[in-house]
Amino acid sequence: MATMSLKSASHLDQLDANALRALAQQLMGELDETRQLVAKQAHDIQFKETHIRKLTYEIAMLRRYRFGKKSEQLGGEQGLLLEDAVDADIAAIEQELISLGGQPPAHKTASQPKRQALPPELPRLQVRHEPHSTTCTCGCPMQRIGQDITEKLDYVPGVFSVEQHVRGKWACRQCETLTQAPMPAQVIDKGLATSGLLAHVLIAKYADHLPLYRQEQIFARAGVKIPRSTLAEWVGVCGVRLQPLVDALREAILNEPVVHVDETPVQVLQPGSKKTHRAYLWAYAPGAFQDLRAVVYDFTEGRSGAHARAFLGDWRGELICDDYGGYKACFEQGIDEVGCMAHARRKFFELHQSGKSLIAEQALKSIGQLYEIEVQAADLLPEQRQRLREQQARPIAQALHTWMTAHRLKVPDGTGIARALDYSLKRWTALTRYLVDGRLPIDNNWIENQIRPIALGRKNWLFAGSQRAGRRAAAVMSLIQSAKMNGHDPYAYLKDILTRLPTHPNNRIEELLPHRW
């Protein structure tokens, strides 16, 4: 018995030791998790503080320019355009500071306009907000004792009206409880404009290319005086609030296996400088044969290929682009290059137009035959399109390549026809990759059509007012153009989105994208 007792005691001691070791390991694991959580929180706090300091410095510099000495400012129309951008940038930075938990620096300037009373002659539409129940929690019926009226300026294209939000006040005589329905959430808290007016200002600025000072003049003729600084604040805040939609749209595009890309130059003016420099607006869209209809514009300070790599991130697929060298690094990282036959054709077309080159004419005829086949293939499924190309387009492409190789040996280096032939021969694999994949188009014209509105708008912009203004314009134009691609009226889309956005859950933001609207 004594032996058994000793064995039992030893066994119990062993169990206690094992339990203590397990408990110690559990506590160590929990301690590690706590340390990691604390480290992450410290990192997040440091990031927010750093970002807040950066934004605070940026807003101070912009305010110094906007409200500083007149000798530091531009005059005339250029000054007006730049002031619009600076006012919008200041409003956007203030909104970002609020979202980060910081407080915008207090600023009061004599030049800031005061809100004017809305003209009494404008039609008024009352929107009533009453409590769901007018029975007090104590069981007594409440009595209406008054109301609050908030007026917001609405705009249906061509007509101003005033939207009156009437919120009745209800009180319980027994327990003196006061009840009143809250104001609906707005994109701009306590702002004057409805979502309809905000949508109109954005459409006029970014789709119709009307600077804010011109919109100010148009509104004044309709009897409503809205300072362009106020319009600029609306634009800046809306740009920040709409950015999550653009980020979600980018993710949707990068989920596609085929992506088009192109870039176009825009001029940018920095506050405090009277000179412009060249920046670039890049356009990214799913393949022309993909179901998703969307485009995202990305504003960058230069044309370096690093900007394209940053936008694409970990995406791997078929990239349709021109022969710009900035894309080369993407192809070294596993992205497949797909060439643009329209660019190759353009080289020969220019030669034929200027010199009636017989070689260029023959090349144009052969390339034209390839395009005639694409007209037949446009409405086919990818598998059917690939079979048609294999049967009809591949023999033409092989004959064209043989013909180009033979003629390149005959023409001297440095001539225009030599350069045109070299462009196609050096990129032949990329130019003909569409022959083996029915998902791929023959050229990059799809994205060039989406970037054309930007090129047309440059005649009206003159330049972008700042880097931040360029990024904001790219974001809003991404939503406007994507709405058009899906057959939506951009004004109706933005008005609805700006109405729903304040109360829409962030984890369901993709529901508001143009292709799902």
Side-chain angles (χ1 to χ4, degrees):
M1 291 293 294
T3 304
M4 291 297 294
S5 298
L6 288 174
K7 288 182 178 180
S8 298
S10 175
H11 181 65
L12 290 173
D13 290 343
Q14 184 65 33
L15 288 176
D16 291 341
N18 290 337
L20 288 173
R21 279 195 293 269
L23 180 60
Q25 291 176 353
Q26 179 184 350
L27 292 174
M28 289 297 293
E30 292 177 355
L31 181 60
D32 289 340
E33 291 179 0
T34 303
R35 287 173 176 169
Q36 292 175 3
L37 180 61
V38 171
K40 183 179 182 302
Q41 291 176 341
H43 178 269
D44 292 343
I45 292 172
Q46 184 180 9
F47 171 80
K48 284 187 176 182
E49 289 178 347
T50 303
H51 199 47
I52 287 172
R53 285 196 296 269
K54 176 180 177 295
L55 292 175
T56 303
Y57 173 77
E58 186 177 353
I59 199 172
M61 294 299 293
L62 288 173
R63 283 180 179 153
R64 178 183 176 186
Y65 170 79
R66 179 66 179 86
F67 306 110
K69 295 180 180 179
K70 295 297 181 182
S71 61
E72 298 177 3
Q73 301 181 11
L74 294 176
E77 186 176 275
Q78 290 188 348
L80 295 176
L81 291 174
L82 184 57
E83 286 178 9
D84 292 349
V86 171
D87 287 332
D89 288 350
I90 290 173
I93 294 172
E94 288 178 343
Q95 185 67 31
E96 289 186 33
L97 283 169
I98 292 172
S99 65
L100 288 171
Q103 291 295 325
H107 63 290
K108 296 289 182 181
T109 62
S111 61
Q112 286 185 308
K114 295 182 179 179
R115 180 181 295 184
Q116 302 292 321
L118 295 175
E121 65 272 13
L122 291 181
R124 260 114 173 124
L125 173 66
Q126 287 195 345
V127 181
R128 294 190 171 273
H129 309 278
E130 302 294 352
H132 294 298
S133 173
T134 56
T135 300
C136 185
T137 54
C138 70
C140 298
M142 292 184 171
Q143 296 181 354
R144 207 169 200 271
I145 61 171
Q147 63 185 24
D148 287 334
I149 298 179
T150 302
E151 291 196 333
K152 291 185 172 294
L153 186 62
D154 194 18
Y155 185 82
V156 175
V159 180
F160 275 109
S161 62
V162 177
E163 191 176 87
Q164 282 189 337
H165 292 259
V166 181
R167 298 184 297 136
K169 295 180 179 179
W170 295 77
C172 176
R173 299 294 187 185
Q174 183 69 24
C175 62
E176 299 183 350
T177 298
L178 178 67
T179 299
Q180 187 176 34
M183 271 290 291
Q186 306 286 323
V187 169
I188 301 180
D189 188 34
K190 300 180 181 179
L192 172 70
T194 66
S195 58
L197 180 54
L198 294 175
H200 173 75
V201 172
L202 293 176
I203 293 295
K205 179 174 176 61
Y206 294 115
D208 300 329
H209 313 299
L210 281 176
L212 296 182
Y213 78 92
R214 291 183 187 170
Q215 294 191 51
E216 178 187 27
Q217 295 169 354
I218 294 171
F219 293 160
R221 290 198 299 269
V224 179
K225 295 182 179 180
I226 308 177
R228 63 178 176 273
S229 60
T230 300
L231 296 174
E233 289 176 8
W234 295 350
V235 170
V237 174
C238 287
V240 174
R241 300 301 299 273
L242 291 172
Q243 187 60 48
L245 274 78
V246 182
D247 295 338
L249 194 61
R250 171 182 175 270
E251 293 300 319
I253 290 176
L254 295 183
N255 283 331
E256 297 293 322
V258 181
V259 171
H260 292 267
V261 61
D262 197 12
E263 74 286 337
T264 188
V266 293
Q267 296 300 316
V268 180
L269 179 65
Q270 295 285 6
S273 171
K274 298 184 179 181
K275 296 181 180 180
T276 62
H277 73 273
R278 175 172 287 191
Y280 279 84
L281 200 69
W282 306 65
Y284 300 86
F289 296 127
Q290 304 298 117
D291 293 333
L292 177 61
R293 290 290 180 260
V295 63
V296 167
Y297 302 111
D298 185 32
F299 181 89
T300 65
E301 298 183 12
R303 201 188 180 194
S304 167
H307 299 301
R309 294 195 298 275
F311 183 94
L312 295 172
D314 296 331
W315 178 84
R316 297 294 180 268
E318 313 286 337
L319 186 67
I320 307 167
C321 58
D322 58 24
D323 192 33
Y324 170 52
Y327 301 120
K328 301 303 181 185
C330 295
F331 308 140
E332 297 172 359
Q333 297 175 356
I335 295 176
D336 294 326
E337 178 186 10
V338 182
C340 175
M341 190 65 74
H343 277 79
R345 181 187 181 278
R346 198 171 300 156
K347 305 290 184 183
F348 294 108
F349 180 80
E350 292 170 353
L351 281 174
H352 186 256
Q353 284 291 99
S354 60
K356 304 298 180 183
S357 167
L358 295 178
I359 296 178
E361 182 179 2
Q362 182 57 44
L364 289 175
K365 289 180 179 179
S366 297
I367 296 175
Q369 292 174 352
L370 295 176
Y371 271 92
E372 289 174 2
I373 296 170
E374 289 306 301
V375 174
Q376 304 174 38
D379 297 326
L380 300 179
L381 296 174
E383 297 78 8
Q384 298 171 328
R385 188 179 299 115
Q386 184 175 343
R387 284 198 297 270
L388 178 64
R389 289 169 173 174
E390 186 67 30
Q391 296 169 2
Q392 299 186 24
R394 182 174 290 281
I396 297 174
Q398 290 175 343
L400 178 60
H401 183 262
T402 302
W403 177 86
M404 285 184 174
T405 303
H407 278 78
R408 180 62 184 90
L409 297 174
K410 300 176 183 178
V411 298
D413 295 341
T415 60
I417 192 63
R419 288 192 293 270
L421 290 169
D422 286 341
Y423 180 89
S424 295
L425 291 172
K426 290 179 180 178
R427 306 194 73 234
W428 192 253
T429 300
L431 288 173
T432 57
R433 182 161 276 128
Y434 82 99
L435 294 174
V436 297
D437 191 338
R439 302 171 304 167
L440 303 178
I442 190 174
D443 56 35
N444 205 24
N445 287 352
W446 177 248
I447 196 65
E448 291 190 4
N449 290 336
Q450 311 313 322
I451 211 169
R452 185 169 290 116
I454 310 302
L456 294 176
R458 281 190 304 234
K459 297 178 181 178
N460 295 309
W461 303 343
L462 299 181
F463 48 77
S466 68
Q467 299 288 345
R468 184 179 286 270
R471 292 192 294 270
R472 180 170 52 250
V476 178
M477 288 189 293
S478 297
L479 297 176
I480 291 175
Q481 188 65 17
S482 295
K484 291 180 180 179
M485 295 170 71
N486 286 276
H488 305 318
D489 173 13
Y491 168 78
Y493 170 72
L494 280 183
K495 178 181 178 181
D496 181 63
I497 293 304
L498 291 171
T499 301
R500 296 164 60 185
L501 196 58
T503 57
H504 195 84
N506 288 333
N507 59 356
R508 290 166 44 201
I509 197 71
E510 66 278 355
E511 295 175 2
L512 302 182
L513 295 180
H515 59 279
R516 299 187 63 180
W517 182 65

